Structure formats: C-alpha cells, structure tokens
Amino acid sequence: MGYGDERRSGAYPVAGPSGPGRVDWVARTSAPVLCPPVLAAGVLVVADMVGTVYVFDAGTGELRWRVPEEDDPGLVVRDEDGEWPDPITMAVAVWRDRVFVAEADSDQFEHYEDSDSEVRVHDLATGERIGTVPGGGYPAVVGDTLLLYGLNDGVRAFELPGLGPLWHAKDAEGRVQTVPAVGPDGALYLPGGFEGNKTHGGVMRLDPLTGEVAEFDEDQGEDEDEGEDAEYEGWDVTKAVHAVAAEGLVWLPADRLRFGEDPPFDGAITGRDPRTGEVRWIHRMPKTPAGAVAVVDGTVFAAVNGPGDGGHGEPSFAKAVTAIGITDRVVRWTRPLPDTGAGTPVIADGFVYMAVRDGRVLALDAGSGDVRWEVDLGERILDKEEMGYFDVECAFEEDGQVIIPANGVLYVRTRAGIIAVR
C-alpha cells in the first residue's frame, strides 16, 4: 500500500536489500515518473508525466502492457529552451484485478455534473479497458471502496466491485490529491491544500460509511473585518502531504502554528486527537518539515528543510532527516543529506530509506541515523517543485512517493522510469 499501510505510517512489514544495494534493472518509460508506482500481484503499475500507464513485472522489469501502446510521435518532453511542458498528472489505484486510471492536466482532477471526463478501469493482467466511472477525480482505494477526489466538488465513493455510488461528500472540497489515512475506527483523514487567503491546510475527518465530514480547523483565510493583516488562527500544512494515523494520533507537519496562548510560530510536527482534532502532541522545530512524516515504534521520522526554505506553503527542499522520540519529544538523531531530498522517509526492517534528487538512495540505521550504505542510480529523481510547477494546483498535489520497498528490493521512481535496487 502507499506509504506502508492504510494508516500511511511510512513503515513496511518487509526487509529491503540485505546488504549494500546495487542497480538490478531499469524499466524505462517514455517520460519521467512523478507519481508513485503501485506494487500489486507481482507487478508494478506506473504512470509517467505525459499520460502513459505501464505494468512491469516486479521481478524482472519486463513490460507486461502499456496504454497507449505506442508513443505519440509529436510528444515533446522538453522544448528547445530546456523547459518542461505542462505535466499530465496521472493517478492510478489498484483493487484486486482492476486498475483505476484518471488522467488530467494538473488543474483538472474534477467532477462536474455536465462533464464528459471519466476514470478508466483496466484489467490488471491484460490492460484491457473493462469499464469507466463517469466524472473525473483522483482515485484512491480504501478497503472495498473507490474514492474519487474533486478539488471543488468534494469526494465521491463507489462500492467495489460493482461501482455502485455510495455517497458524495460535497463539503470535502480542497483536499490534497493523495491517499487518505485510515484511523483505528475506520475514519478517513484527508489533509487540505494550501492556497493563499483561501485554504490553509488543516485536516478533515470523513466517515467512510456515510460521507459525513468533520472539519477540525478554523477557516484561516482573511478576516472580513481586519483584511490581510489579520492574525492566522489554527495551523498551516507546510506543503500538500498525506496525514498519518498512528500511535493513537493523527500526524501532520505544521507551518505557522498557533497553539494555546502562544503567538504563532514556524515549524512544528503535530499529533492531533482523531475524534476532536485537538493538538495532543507538538514538537517545535528550528526548520520547517519538508513533507509528510513517518511514525513507527514510538518515533517520528521527518525530512527537514534548510534555513529559509519551505515556509508558509512554499516549496520544500529537504536537507536532513531527523528522528524524534514521541514520549520525551527529544531529537534522537539528525542526518544531513548529500543533496536535496526527494520524497519522504520510508521505514523497513530497521532501516530508514531516503532518496535525494541527484539519484542516490541512502539506507540509514533507524536507531542511530548512521549511513549503512548508499547507491547511485545514475538517473535524477524529479518532482513538480524542482520542475517549476509550484502553483495553486500543485499546492493541492502531493509529490509522489519515491521509494517502494519489497522483500530484498527497493523500487525507485526516476526520470528514466523505475529502477530496482537489490
């Protein structure tokens, strides 16, 4: 599952490479991969930035199928000035033998009653198109339910396998296009995007059976009476990232936080009551978190920005990984990164795996932060921020997970496609 499990804890019940990793194979795509691959039934389901969906054999990297079958001969990945075109944000979700594919420009993950957009359904084994779901939306699967997020029209839910509509939570608008965290009682936690004077992060609790929503945070837009000089209330998510439901709390990095009687301050990780949204745990940081956290075994793992980077909804550029004890709120270790970080920490079998944009993957000891090994993939890892796509739409999209661990292997998305490290 994405980010480890339905709680999105970042922890995987697998053991990656048993020793220093090396590149085993490269499954090449027509354009860079910005979205997280999905590992299911022995295959990797991958979407590139120009709209092609691939299924590769997870053991060998051999192509099983792709849609469309051939590249568009007019396809241009970079223009003569070296600029990237507007990306097509591809989202895929898998349920048993089905692949759900929504393709759209970065501002078109939307559902309108009179829209002709749709989510395609493909057979996982053959790639054959076996159905559609009317209307657009970002697909995510939770249990036997398909969720489709629309930026301005909330979240729609469909039962699987029949795809009968269950509910439409129109109040769940402005949600980050990422997977939801599932709490111990089955409730879904959906973070909000960051858009100046409109939506400033926050998290929403959603009942998966009825679609009933509970907004934890106050509106943080301009005060009607005080204008743009009004004090912020509540908290802002540093960037568009998924929530984590673990250790009895709902976790999100925060930026520009008001807590109790304190004045607003920058840089914190928060743990909130899953029923009320009240802050139960907080760790102030000298530098803002660079993305989502991972929470496992009484420890919060986070990538952190360099000085002056990533505040108030701006792009984040991770310069280090840190581990914080939940009980004592003490930093156990901090490990500087050799280049700007890519994605969020991934935990498996006592290791913290972290990628950097120049194409290296580091395996850190989860207890000490020591570098146990690193491997150079030979291909750069891209994200939308680095490519100049940080704008209103990008602020509602999480940069895709970079590393997917499995037993004895790591799968890493790059500008060349997917690289397997063994």
Side-chain angles (χ1 to χ4, degrees):
M1 291 183 179
Y3 304 102
D5 48 38
E6 285 195 337
R7 298 175 299 145
R8 316 305 173 189
S9 67
Y12 285 79
V14 298
S18 58
R22 60 174 177 79
V23 174
D24 188 31
W25 50 255
V26 180
R28 297 198 175 273
T29 54
S30 299
V33 178
L34 301 181
C35 297
V38 178
L39 178 62
V43 297
L44 287 161
V45 185
V46 179
D48 69 22
M49 64 171 283
V50 297
T52 306
V53 178
Y54 311 78
V55 169
F56 297 109
D57 185 287
T60 66
E62 179 184 359
L63 178 66
R64 296 280 187 87
W65 57 263
R66 56 174 285 175
V67 176
E69 294 184 359
E70 301 294 337
D71 289 334
D72 180 348
L75 176 66
V76 176
V77 176
R78 283 194 179 191
D79 64 22
E80 58 185 11
D81 297 322
E83 297 295 324
W84 297 96
D86 290 338
I88 296 176
T89 300
M90 294 294 297
V92 297
V94 176
W95 181 84
R96 298 186 183 176
D97 61 349
R98 302 185 182 193
V99 179
F100 299 95
V101 179
E103 61 177 302
D105 294 331
S106 59
D107 61 349
Q108 294 295 314
F109 273 129
E110 198 52 275
H111 164 68
Y112 299 106
E113 295 296 335
D114 58 352
S115 171
D116 60 359
S117 60
E118 60 189 15
V119 173
R120 304 193 311 267
V121 186
H122 294 268
D123 183 274
L124 178 62
T126 67
E128 178 185 0
R129 183 166 171 169
I130 57 177
T132 61
V133 183
Y138 177 98
V141 170
V142 175
D144 292 331
T145 301
L146 171 67
L147 303 177
L148 297 179
Y149 299 14
L151 283 183
N152 300 305
D153 198 44
V155 178
R156 296 182 295 149
F158 301 84
E159 59 88 14
L160 296 169
L163 290 176
L166 295 174
W167 44 259
H168 184 179
K170 293 187 177 182
D171 291 338
E173 61 182 1
R175 299 301 97 188
V176 174
Q177 294 163 4
T178 185
V179 290
V182 182
D185 62 352
L188 309 180
Y189 297 92
L190 286 67
F194 187 105
E195 185 177 350
N197 301 323
K198 293 184 179 180
T199 302
H200 295 264
V203 64
M204 175 177 286
R205 187 178 193 273
L206 183 66
D207 188 311
L209 299 180
T210 65
E212 181 180 357
V213 301
E215 183 74 61
F216 284 169
D217 300 291
E218 300 175 10
D219 179 20
Q220 296 176 345
E222 291 184 10
D223 186 282
E224 292 183 0
D225 298 323
E226 300 181 62
E228 62 182 14
D229 294 328
E231 293 273 357
Y232 279 110
E233 300 291 339
W235 58 307
D236 298 344
V237 177
T238 303
K239 58 183 294 189
V241 299
H242 66 278
V244 173
E247 304 281 345
L249 299 174
V250 178
W251 303 83
L252 275 172
D255 172 86
R256 183 69 174 178
L257 182 78
R258 179 182 289 277
F259 182 66
E261 299 300 320
D262 293 335
F265 59 88
D266 295 341
I269 296 172
T270 62
R272 294 210 162 207
D273 187 292
R275 298 293 302 182
T276 67
E278 182 179 355
V279 174
R280 298 293 188 188
W281 190 97
I282 186 170
H283 179 80
R284 299 188 186 190
M285 304 182 72
K287 303 169 186 175
T288 57
V293 299
V295 182
V296 60
D297 294 336
T299 306
V300 178
F301 299 90
V304 294
N305 288 310
D309 287 336
H312 306 298
E314 293 302 314
S316 298
F317 299 98
K319 300 301 181 185
V321 177
T322 192
I324 305 159
I326 292 176
T327 301
D328 55 15
R329 295 176 174 81
V330 171
V331 175
R332 294 178 177 171
W333 55 261
T334 298
R335 172 61 53 187
L337 296 172
D339 190 52
T340 300
T344 56
V346 170
I347 319 299
D349 194 35
F351 285 93
V352 179
Y353 297 106
M354 187 72 191
V356 294
R357 292 183 184 177
D358 69 4
R360 282 177 283 177
V361 172
L362 282 70
L364 310 178
D365 185 285
S368 66
D370 294 339
V371 179
R372 295 305 183 191
W373 55 264
E374 70 174 76
V375 59
D376 187 345
L377 305 178
E379 294 289 348
R380 193 164 180 82
I381 298 167
L382 303 179
D383 61 31
K384 290 185 283 290
E385 291 175 348
E386 181 183 19
M387 299 166 71
Y389 296 136
F390 191 84
D391 53 24
V392 170
E393 290 77 27
C394 186
F396 288 85
E397 300 172 8
E398 182 170 19
D399 280 322
Q401 183 174 355
V402 173
I403 299 171
I404 306 293
N407 284 318
V409 63
L410 303 178
Y411 301 105
V412 188
R413 66 167 182 85
T414 72
R415 67 178 179 183
I418 302 298
I419 294 180
V421 175
R422 294 190 187 277

